[in-house]
Amino acid sequence: MSVFDLKLSEIHNRLHDKQLSVTDLVEQSFKRITDTDDKIGAFLTLNEEGARKEAQALDAQLASGDERGLLFGIPAGIKDNIVTEGLLTTCGSKFLGNHNPIYDAAVVTKLRAAQSVTIGKLNMDEFAMGGSNENSAYHPVHNPWDLDRVPGGSSGGSAAAVAAGQVYFTLGSDTGGSIRQPAAYCGVVGLKPTYGLVSRFGLVAFASSLDQIGPITKNVEDSAYVLQAIAGHDERDSTSANVEIPDYLSALTGDVKGLRIGVPKEYLGQGIDPQVKERVLEALKVFESMGAVWEEVSLPHTDYAVATYYLLASSEASSNLARFDGVRYGVRADNPSNLLDLYRRSRSEGFGAEVKRRIMLGTYALSSGYYDAYYKKAQQVRTLIKRDFDQVFEKFDLIIGPTAPTPAFKLGEQVGDPLTMYLNDICTIPVSLAGVPAISVPCGLADGLPVGLQIIGKPFDEQTVLRAAHAFESQTGFHNLRPALS
Amino acid sequence: MSITKKDVEHVANLARLELSDAEKEQFGDQLNAILKYADKLNELNTDGIEPTSHVLPLANVMRADTVKPSWPIEKVLLNAPEEEDGQFKVPPVLE
């Protein structure tokens, strides 16, 4: 068993008892990465020197007996769209191949305060656009459960690194499912917090009305620890919510008696793999056995969510990615004849196909004559989708369904067919549009591949989401399943 | 409604992208497929429905009007592809 399979509290006990040092933890990470990452491809940049120096400093602090941070000494990986001062941050794009940020993202500062150790930066679909990690400009990520399959995306590296035991936890970002779907495909726990709970200062923006940062971990308790460390108001992100941050760990009571669960019929209908549906129905029986009650409900606008999302997210992306102009950072085309030529060629050489496709779609949807028909229309449908959730949450504490309609698919299987690829996000996108929190937890296997259960909560009610997820994993132990990867 | 090659060129110009002929054709086909799929939103009557730009009840968040230190110029220019005299350098805008 790897030391990374221990509970965080147990690691801290061993550090305290001198059975383990922070240097041991960090070296375990680098060794595992050396042993496995030529097969997985989860990392884009390693922070070897920095992490080792950090480990030494933390070991010295350990010896002196000073007070320790919440995530003291824990090796972490960070998705490559979260900026880290002096540590290459590429967003999985050639455009930012040489980009050394001059500041830390808010979550990186918070992790520093909690005293985790940053091991490196994780592979992702370019600018977080994709659901398979095949849009990385560098190399694809392979699913640790089956190296011929995708890890999901866009936080594919973040999910695969945890599943492969390369680091203890990672941060991902989720715009339409980019934390939850890869967590489901890789058999780990992925939490997308409520929109506004975690500061996006220093997260390279994709779709600003949807982007959220969240943890990917091996169990729900760790998810609560990391969320505790990174949640909170930040005036540098004007859409950061000014809410009281509760004690997430104290929410993990194991008690779900009387909890009311709505199960949307749209999430178990057409397009859902029969084995995935079976695992979800079994999970509902587990909740029943623990004293929760569930009922079928309807989110009637589910079928419109993917179209709504691709119009809104691409529109926002086309605006956000205008900053990549070859003037202040990133690549610049050689010998530009004038400024316009510089913009055009730098962007065309620096961006991959999916990024260009979405910029084109978004630019079209925002362009004169089409704004009302596409962008405004999608914003109105978003209102209807959000109302669906509001109505169910009047009567229910949680909504439960699958995270993704199928288990991980094969590398190359859906390349060249963007629309099919987009439909993998059919169960996560509506949740993102409504801005509510959701977690994906392992709920068993289908033909040897992990299946994720999605537990969705009311805005800023991460506590109930975590409580239910924790009770479920304690009862079932599915989170202890590991890929056979040697 | 169908996107023509001319539309693709117009949008590419707005987006400051330079596309090859193969890309123009491919993106044209794919955008048509995606927009055709998006047309299903027209099945819904949205008359009088307020658009949602984002879900938080926040608008016009202001910070206190106080002077704070900025990053030093050397740091800001650290990633500049080309710089001169503490400024980002670009090719001539006016010939």
Side-chain angles (χ1 to χ4, degrees), chain A residues 100 304 344 348 357 383, chain B residues 13 18 30 43 50 52 79:
Chain A
N100 268 306
Y304 301 95
R344 283 201 189 114
S348 302
R357 185 155 45 236
T383 304
Chain B
N13 178 48
E18 196 172 79
Q30 289 172 335
E43 294 167 13
E50 278 295 308
T52 296
N79 283 290

Side-chain angles (χ1 to χ4, degrees), chain A residues 158-180:
Chain A
S158 299
V162 173
Q166 296 175 333
V167 281
Y168 194 79
F169 77 90
T170 60
L171 294 184
S173 69
D174 192 313
T175 304
S178 282
I179 289 173
R180 292 160 286 160

Side-chain angles (χ1 to χ4, degrees), chain A residues 85 100 102 209 235 239 303-304 327 329 332 340 344 347-348 356-357 364 377 379-380 383, chain B residues 13 15-16 18 23 30 35 40-41 43-44 46 49-50 52-53 56 68 75 79 81-82 89:
Chain A
E85 184 173 353
N100 268 306
I102 59 167
S209 80
E235 67 171 18
T239 51
D303 201 25
Y304 301 95
V327 173
Y329 35 66
R332 169 178 286 200
L340 209 54
R344 283 201 189 114
R347 290 164 65 77
S348 302
K356 287 181 191 168
R357 185 155 45 236
Y364 182 77
K377 180 80 182 181
Q379 284 193 318
Q380 289 174 311
T383 304
Chain B
N13 178 48
R16 300 290 183 254
E18 196 172 79
E23 279 179 317
Q30 289 172 335
L35 289 170
K40 72 192 291 165
L41 298 188
E43 294 167 13
L44 296 170
T46 50
I49 304 285
E50 278 295 308
T52 296
S53 55
L56 293 179
K68 287 183 190 169
K75 211 171 174 180
N79 283 290
E82 226 183 321
K89 191 176 178 186

Side-chain angles (χ1 to χ4, degrees), chain A residues 56-199:
Chain A
Q56 278 174 10
L58 293 179
D59 279 328
Q61 184 186 341
L62 196 59
S64 73
D66 288 347
E67 208 181 317
R68 296 190 291 274
L70 190 63
L71 303 173
F72 183 87
I74 303 297
I78 297 179
K79 188 176 180 181
D80 210 27
N81 58 351
I82 297 172
V83 301
T84 41
E85 184 173 353
L87 188 60
L88 207 60
T89 299
T90 70
C91 292
S93 179
K94 288 277 185 236
F95 196 100
L96 294 176
N98 58 1
H99 177 236
N100 268 306
I102 59 167
Y103 63 96
D104 276 333
V107 288
V108 174
T109 306
K110 289 208 173 218
L111 287 186
R112 212 181 283 286
Q115 298 191 302
S116 66
V117 181
T118 298
I119 296 296
K121 304 298 293 287
L122 292 155
N123 205 347
M124 55 184 282
D125 285 300
E126 184 176 3
F127 289 109
M129 297 177 190
S132 70
N133 223 112
E134 291 165 293
N135 296 334
S136 165
Y138 296 95
H139 48 82
V141 179
H142 299 258
N143 192 316
W145 288 81
D146 177 347
L147 297 174
D148 292 333
R149 288 178 191 270
V150 303
S154 65
S155 312
S158 299
V162 173
Q166 296 175 333
V167 281
Y168 194 79
F169 77 90
T170 60
L171 294 184
S173 69
D174 192 313
T175 304
S178 282
I179 289 173
R180 292 160 286 160
Q181 182 253 31
Y185 284 5
C186 291
V188 292
V189 175
L191 172 68
K192 183 201 85 77
T194 308
Y195 181 75
L197 185 68
V198 176
S199 168

